[in-house]
Amino acid sequence: MLQIEIDHLNKHYGGFHALKDINISIKQGSFVALVGPSGCGKSTLLRTLAGLEKTSSGDVRIAGQSVIGKPPRERDVAMVFQSYALYPHMDVEHNMNYSMRLRRRPKEEIAERTRTAAETLGLGNLLDRLPKALSGGQRQRVAMGRAIVRNPKVFLFDEPLSNLDAALRVHMRGEIRKLHERLNATSVYVTHDQVEAMTMADHVVVMRAGVVEQQGSPLDLYDRPANRFVAGFIGSPAMNFLPAAAASNGALVLDNDGTQQIGLNRGMTHGRQLWIGMRPEHLSLKPCVNDMAIDATVTGIESTGSMTFVVLEVASQPVVLAHGGRPETRKGDQVRLHISLDDLHLFDRETELAA
Amino acid sequence: MKRYILLIIGLAMTAIYLFPLYWMYLTALKSSTEIFQYPPTFWPADTQWNFLEVWKSRGMGRYIWNSLLIAVGVTILATTLGTGCAYVLSRVRNVWIEIALFAILMMQVLPSSLMVTPIFVMFNQIGLLASPRIAVILAQTAKVLPLYIVLCRATFVQVPRELEEAALVDGSSRIGAFFHIMLPLARNGILVTSVLIFLQSFGEYVYARSLIAKNELQTATVGLQTFMGPNANDWNGIMTYAAIYVTPILIVFMLLQRRIVSGLTAGALK
Amino acid sequence: MQGIIRTIRDGSGFDILLLGLALLYLIIFSAFPIIYNIIMSLQTVDMFTLTSFNRPFVGLQNYYDIFSQPVAGTIFWNTVKFVVLSIVFQLSIGFGLALFFQQDFPGASYLRGLFLAGWIMPALVVGAIWKWLFAGDFGVINYALTSLGIADDRIFWLSDPNVALYAVIIANIWLGIPFNMILLSVGLASIPRDVYEAAELDGAGVFERFRSITLPLMRAQLGAVISLGVIFTLQQFDLIAALTQGGPADSSNVAQYWSWQFSFQTYEISLGSAVSVLMIIFVIVVAAVYVRSTRHEHSY
């Protein structure tokens, strides 16, 4: 069953076209991440779902009903803000049950549900504290608690973890995901961090400049990026791109270095300008199955201990290679770089679409 | 050591600056012959406590009551009209709001002494001068409302927008979010600004003098002016009157001094 | 009807309602009087035509009349002196005090706060106190001046036409010092300490630091304070009413008091309007410059 349908949605701010013809369908119970660089429109889209922004054209349906023109309070959605937006003049308990008090729920029900939510989030002993007496992580939990007590149709998250330190962030990722599964809720999660999107969501929507560039399951986006932007945005470290052109025999010739060819014939027309996309983890200094080798120079080595990133220069372009373990080469070495042809991505240089 | 020298210089400068206030209280406590001694004395030789006498003989109760009535009226009217307006000006951003804000800033600077002429004629024509205290309240509200809006807006600007949005998502209406979230969070600023315009209106002179004809409806400032008349020489009476009038103002001000200063500067320079 | 209630509860109708109420009030009681003032300044308005809605239209005759008054020149120069001298001294004394109280010593901010007592008091009361301080025979100021040897004889501050205006200016400076000082203190406090430390490391002395750091960084603030000073000085009425009432013989009269005298003492209301229109235009121009300058200089 579809919980949220966004149908040809457009949004203008004066002369600025903030959202361009957005179409997204979200199934009941799924976890959707909206991801993209800042200013891409992901937060605007989320706020549109909440009813905090007006739309210019198109339709938004929640549980089958159009919510265009409806104020936030008639949409039955809950939202966790980046700044948490806890009411500074209310203690934790009143912050959490404000929505139920507004709806004039019976006292017993309010008390019961506040208690359950507080226990779920480990806030039981903090109920009478004011937000200013809480740590960052506790505030984040109260913000979550405020959303879950209501049992809403949809949860909206606006970069809820970006104010936490790195370790807590990783921990909370798991917590939110578990909570989502326990409540069998529909969640829409905005983030600029593609790792967060990939690890938490069932369905990832990549946006840029108000346009949905691609949507699908995380691995779908990783394996089959629709264009160069998505390819470069998803995956860490980022995909390498080398400019190349198709030769008359169909092989790819690297620019600036006519001597190096990659014998991969995908029937490209002669002279077509392309980007070759290679993920760092699909490159190797050792031969592998169905590969192809080219000349490269090692220009730098960065090691994290568990992983090694080798920075190479191929046809005057920098290329990063990632492999587990310790480096076996040194700076300045001339090496053969092995490329797994099955994992190679090609993009048209003019349209930037996958070729 | 240097810090204590600075402290002594600071104390000396404050004392010089506040000397007129000291002189007011001192004169009020002197006897009517002592004030005309030359050279003057700097501490009362024979302390007089004639506050009650002056209060009664000058009919101060009535004057102060009228001043209070006007100040309360202005404060209620200005907070009622101004708070919501200040909130909207702090939240919405577009060309019309910019124009409205600019117009309000311009109205803030209009001197009462210049506005009183058209206001007098206008009120006279519509018969408002028959209830002159209300006329003064209306005129003085127009004078302080822009200042109130500007200072209050500075307070609302400091309340994060997300708090209001969170309330809307939680199920509140715009009205509910304004009363439950915005107002409580801007309460301090609103309170201080109200005190400020209350004190200003409590000391109002131009409108009272020009719009109120009957002596029994006059304010404390006009009462003092009458007391000072052309050939006044009851200076210890006048200073007693002045001391009775300003002491409550000074007390309120000293209690809220820090907050008034920060609110005022935030509004004036942003 | 349903729609209106709905937009007020949840939509932009709420904003429009809140904004509209206050703006409507200001239009009726502030903007309309200004327009009415301009109309009256082009008519003959006196005791006889006061309540009439159909008054004779006289064009710019009132403006011509005020400029042909023999005292017009005196009052114009008095106003200029009143504004310029008040601001020069308020600003320099206020700035000096702000710099002084910026230093670190016990009670600095508390003492600074005490200065504001002068600002919160009703100006009429301040005028009354100064009238007593200025008194010719028994005034404490004359006592201080003669016993310190600054003046040979008593000065009749309020009744001598040569000094009456300066007496009013001195009282007005006293009133304006706190406001100048507080606004400039805020500006000084917002200059980061490390800028001074950097200058000190570069070898700048106290005076050099003031000239090359404090003054340039305070430019916006000084501009704002000067504009506000002009505005507040032109609002000053109560002090004049208490001290000299423009006298003796208009020697301490200024435009805003003159306007009021026309309207409420000689009942030449249209002349009062004409003076008032000219002054309001001037105040609004100053205020517009001020608002523009604060909008552009948000920070440094």
Side-chain angles (χ1 to χ4, degrees):
Chain A
M1 188 193 135
L2 287 178
Q3 185 72 343
I4 302 175
E5 294 155 88
I6 301 169
D7 196 359
H8 296 289
L9 183 72
N10 279 281
K11 161 99 188 153
H12 297 266
Y13 281 114
F16 177 61
H17 201 165
L19 296 176
K20 296 174 192 160
D21 197 40
I22 309 283
N23 291 287
I24 300 173
S25 298
I26 298 172
K27 282 206 273 301
Q28 154 67 33
S30 66
F31 195 114
V32 176
L34 304 177
V35 64
S38 54
C40 71
K42 57 190 191 295
S43 282
T44 307
L45 181 57
L46 191 79
R47 291 165 55 80
T48 306
L49 291 178
L52 296 170
E53 301 274 354
K54 285 190 186 122
T55 54
S56 304
S57 67
D59 197 10
V60 175
R61 288 182 292 276
I62 295 178
Q65 285 218 313
S66 174
V67 293
I68 296 296
K70 278 194 183 174
R73 66 193 171 88
E74 290 171 19
R75 295 185 179 208
D76 196 16
V77 298
M79 184 158 167
V80 178
F81 289 80
Q82 181 174 7
S83 63
Y84 313 142
L86 301 182
Y87 310 123
H89 57 309
M90 296 183 194
D91 62 23
V92 169
E93 182 181 356
H94 287 88
N95 256 289
M96 284 174 54
N97 61 27
Y98 181 57
S99 57
M100 287 190 291
R101 284 186 285 133
L102 282 171
R103 286 182 173 72
R104 300 186 201 291
R105 310 300 305 171
K107 269 211 175 70
E108 308 76 53
E109 185 195 335
I110 293 180
E112 170 62 23
R113 275 164 60 180
T114 311
R115 204 179 47 79
T116 319
E119 268 166 23
T120 311
L121 291 162
L123 292 168
N125 53 346
L126 300 173
L127 283 177
D128 54 357
R129 295 249 192 115
L130 285 177
K132 66 172 179 238
L134 299 176
S135 70
Q138 289 167 336
R139 286 179 203 182
Q140 210 281 333
R141 284 166 185 277
V142 177
M144 302 269 301
R146 197 165 65 181
I148 66 171
V149 279
R150 290 172 47 187
N151 200 11
K153 288 200 191 90
V154 176
F155 286 100
L156 305 174
F157 296 91
D158 190 4
E159 310 213 16
L161 303 182
S162 58
N163 289 340
L164 300 179
D165 62 53
L168 196 52
R169 190 151 60 211
V170 173
H171 174 71
M172 283 310 291
R173 261 188 226 161
E175 294 276 300
I176 293 180
R177 181 68 218 192
K178 261 193 267 171
L179 210 57
H180 167 82
E181 276 155 21
R182 173 141 33 120
L183 299 169
N184 188 27
T186 309
S187 302
V188 182
Y189 189 103
V190 161
T191 177
H192 63 267
D193 179 353
Q194 54 94 16
V195 177
E196 222 166 84
M198 297 288 281
T199 51
M200 295 174 78
D202 319 316
H203 187 87
V204 176
V205 178
V206 182
M207 294 182 68
R208 178 173 62 158
V211 173
V212 173
E213 293 281 352
Q214 190 177 359
Q215 50 182 317
S217 74
L219 293 183
D220 220 25
L221 299 187
Y222 180 84
D223 292 338
R224 282 176 292 281
N227 55 43
R228 192 189 154 188
F229 173 76
V230 175
F233 193 81
I234 300 289
S236 174
M239 186 185 274
N240 298 293
F241 294 99
L242 289 176
S248 52
N249 62 357
L252 302 172
V253 184
L254 297 182
D255 281 13
N256 306 326
D257 191 352
T259 59
Q260 300 228 52
Q261 292 202 352
I262 295 173
L264 170 79
N265 199 334
R266 286 197 187 158
M268 299 284 165
T269 38
H270 173 57
R272 186 165 175 193
Q273 304 282 303
L274 297 159
W275 289 108
I276 302 176
M278 303 166 291
R279 295 204 180 275
E281 54 273 31
H282 297 149
L283 297 176
S284 172
L285 297 178
K286 289 184 192 142
C288 51
V289 188
N290 189 19
D291 70 351
M292 172 76 215
I294 51 177
D295 288 328
T297 314
V298 178
T299 59
I301 291 173
E302 297 160 8
S303 184
T304 65
S306 63
M307 288 291 287
T308 301
F309 303 111
V310 182
V311 187
L312 303 149
E313 194 176 270
V314 176
S316 349
Q317 299 282 326
V319 168
V320 176
L321 172 157
H323 85 101
R326 300 295 159 104
E328 291 146 22
T329 55
R330 279 177 305 169
K331 195 174 165 181
D333 283 358
Q334 299 289 323
V335 294
R336 293 287 285 170
L337 174 65
H338 295 264
I339 303 167
S340 157
L341 292 180
D342 300 334
D343 297 317
L344 207 64
H345 301 275
L346 293 180
F347 303 97
D348 190 288
R349 239 193 284 175
E350 214 166 294
T351 63
E352 304 225 318
L353 296 176
Chain B
M1 192 57 215
K2 187 189 163 208
R3 298 175 75 225
Y4 290 97
I5 295 173
L6 287 173
L7 172 63
I8 290 166
I9 300 174
L11 279 171
M13 290 197 298
T14 315
I16 293 172
Y17 183 79
L18 293 180
F19 178 78
L21 268 180
Y22 171 73
W23 201 244
M24 171 186 79
Y25 283 114
L26 185 69
T27 309
L29 295 175
K30 284 181 182 177
S31 71
S32 51
T33 48
E34 193 181 353
I35 62 164
F36 293 118
Q37 263 177 36
Y38 200 86
T41 52
F42 288 85
W43 192 254
D46 169 26
T47 313
Q48 303 281 314
W49 295 95
N50 46 10
F51 291 93
L52 211 61
E53 251 174 75
V54 172
W55 176 274
K56 274 189 195 142
S57 69
R58 299 306 305 182
M60 277 190 79
R62 207 180 50 224
Y63 289 137
I64 299 268
W65 169 249
N66 290 329
S67 280
L68 262 181
L69 211 64
I70 286 168
V72 168
V74 170
T75 310
I76 291 175
L77 196 54
T79 48
T80 313
L81 289 169
T83 311
C85 179
Y87 155 76
V88 175
L89 290 175
S90 76
R91 278 292 171 265
V92 188
R93 286 236 147 254
N94 63 41
V95 148
W96 293 107
I97 295 287
E98 287 291 317
I99 293 173
L101 193 57
F102 187 78
I104 287 170
L105 286 168
M106 292 299 104
M107 288 190 224
Q108 190 190 332
V109 304
L110 298 173
S112 310
S113 55
L114 300 176
M115 294 301 288
V116 69
T117 298
I119 284 179
F120 170 75
V121 176
M122 178 176 137
F123 282 8
N124 196 6
Q125 282 177 323
I126 56 178
L128 250 176
L129 292 187
S131 35
R133 285 178 299 194
I134 290 172
V136 173
I137 290 175
L138 292 174
Q140 175 70 2
T141 301
K143 165 78 187 150
V144 297
L145 184 56
L147 177 74
Y148 179 83
I149 291 172
V150 169
L151 294 182
C152 250
R153 177 178 167 271
T155 315
F156 279 119
V157 166
Q158 287 166 7
V159 180
R161 202 192 186 97
E162 291 87 50
L163 291 180
E164 191 186 358
E165 291 176 346
L168 295 181
V169 175
D170 265 351
S172 181
S173 63
R174 290 289 309 276
I175 299 174
F178 178 68
F179 282 104
H180 293 144
I181 307 296
M182 299 306 290
L183 276 191
L185 292 178
R187 193 186 55 202
N188 277 343
I190 292 170
L191 207 76
V192 167
T193 317
S194 311
V195 170
L196 202 66
I197 61 166
F198 177 87
L199 292 181
Q200 271 193 11
S201 308
F202 190 60
E204 204 283 326
Y205 173 67
V206 182
Y207 288 133
R209 167 84 190 271
S210 317
L211 303 181
I212 301 177
K214 284 188 191 139
N215 187 44
E216 66 262 29
L217 300 180
Q218 274 301 358
T219 59
T221 42
V222 180
L224 178 62
Q225 175 74 329
T226 325
F227 197 178
M228 277 199 295
N231 299 310
N233 53 15
D234 181 11
W235 280 104
N236 68 348
I238 295 170
M239 289 299 113
T240 307
Y241 185 119
I244 295 173
Y245 184 22
V246 299
T247 303
I249 298 179
L250 291 174
I251 290 173
V252 172
F253 178 70
M254 284 300 145
L255 290 177
L256 292 172
Q257 186 223 97
R258 228 160 254 276
R259 285 180 170 179
I260 291 184
V261 170
S262 63
L264 186 80
T265 48
L269 295 173
K270 263 175 205 159
Chain C
M1 196 59 211
Q2 202 82 51
I4 293 172
I5 291 170
R6 192 180 163 86
T7 176
I8 286 172
R9 272 188 80 181
D10 293 311
S12 50
F14 183 63
D15 295 328
I16 294 167
L17 179 77
L18 291 180
L19 195 63
L21 281 176
L23 286 184
L24 188 71
Y25 189 90
L26 287 174
I27 286 168
I28 294 173
F29 292 104
S30 212
F32 176 73
I34 292 180
I35 294 163
Y36 195 40
N37 203 18
I38 296 172
I39 295 170
M40 289 197 307
S41 75
L42 304 173
Q43 297 173 327
T44 298
V45 188
D46 52 28
M47 282 310 269
F48 306 106
T49 55
L50 186 57
T51 51
S52 158
F53 287 94
N54 184 21
R55 305 189 190 104
F57 180 80
V58 294
L60 293 175
Q61 184 63 38
N62 292 317
Y63 291 93
Y64 178 79
D65 285 352
I66 49 172
F67 284 114
S68 53
Q69 297 259 345
V71 293
T74 314
I75 285 169
F76 173 75
W77 283 114
N78 282 350
T79 311
V80 172
K81 276 190 219 164
F82 183 65
V83 171
V84 172
L85 289 177
S86 293
I87 287 175
V88 167
F89 286 99
Q90 282 173 4
L91 189 72
S92 40
I93 298 173
F95 200 12
L97 287 170
L99 287 168
F100 178 81
F101 285 107
Q102 196 67 21
Q103 299 177 85
D104 174 44
F105 63 88
S109 67
Y110 182 73
L111 286 180
R112 185 172 57 195
L114 286 179
F115 274 75
L116 282 159
W119 169 79
I120 197 69
M121 283 166 63
L124 195 92
V125 175
V126 173
I129 298 171
W130 278 92
K131 192 171 184 180
W132 173 229
L133 293 169
F134 276 132
D137 287 324
F138 307 102
V140 71
I141 289 180
N142 274 343
Y143 168 72
L145 292 179
T146 48
S147 57
L148 290 173
I150 297 170
D152 298 332
D153 207 353
R154 290 170 185 168
I155 301 169
F156 287 86
W157 290 98
L158 303 175
S159 50
D160 181 344
N162 294 318
V163 290
L165 179 65
Y166 300 101
V168 179
I169 292 171
I170 289 170
N172 192 42
I173 292 168
W174 187 84
L175 261 179
I177 286 173
F179 191 71
N180 281 265
M181 181 184 75
I182 288 298
L183 290 191
L184 293 171
S185 289
V186 174
L188 286 175
S190 66
I191 300 177
R193 269 195 98 81
D194 49 11
V195 180
Y196 285 106
E197 287 163 358
E200 211 172 340
L201 289 175
D202 286 342
V206 174
F207 178 73
E208 187 56 31
R209 270 176 285 168
F210 177 76
R211 203 186 60 81
S212 61
I213 297 174
T214 312
L215 274 187
L217 287 182
M218 288 290 287
R219 232 182 42 203
Q221 231 88 17
L222 286 168
V225 172
I226 291 173
S227 321
L228 288 173
V230 174
I231 291 163
F232 288 140
T233 307
L234 287 176
Q235 301 214 356
Q236 194 47 265
F237 177 92
D238 308 7
L239 205 55
I240 301 162
L243 282 172
T244 63
Q245 307 187 351
D250 288 318
S251 64
S252 66
N253 207 354
V254 292
Q256 64 268 33
Y257 198 79
W258 196 37
S259 161
W260 183 86
Q261 283 182 320
F262 274 132
S263 302
F264 294 94
Q265 290 190 330
T266 57
Y267 298 107
E268 294 163 284
I269 293 167
S270 40
L271 295 187
S273 291
V275 175
S276 158
V277 167
L278 295 176
M279 294 308 292
I280 286 175
I281 290 170
F282 181 69
V283 170
I284 286 181
V285 169
V286 174
V289 171
Y290 158 67
V291 170
R292 277 188 65 84
S293 70
T294 53
R295 296 271 121 165
H296 287 292
E297 301 242 16
H298 274 301
S299 60
Y300 20 80

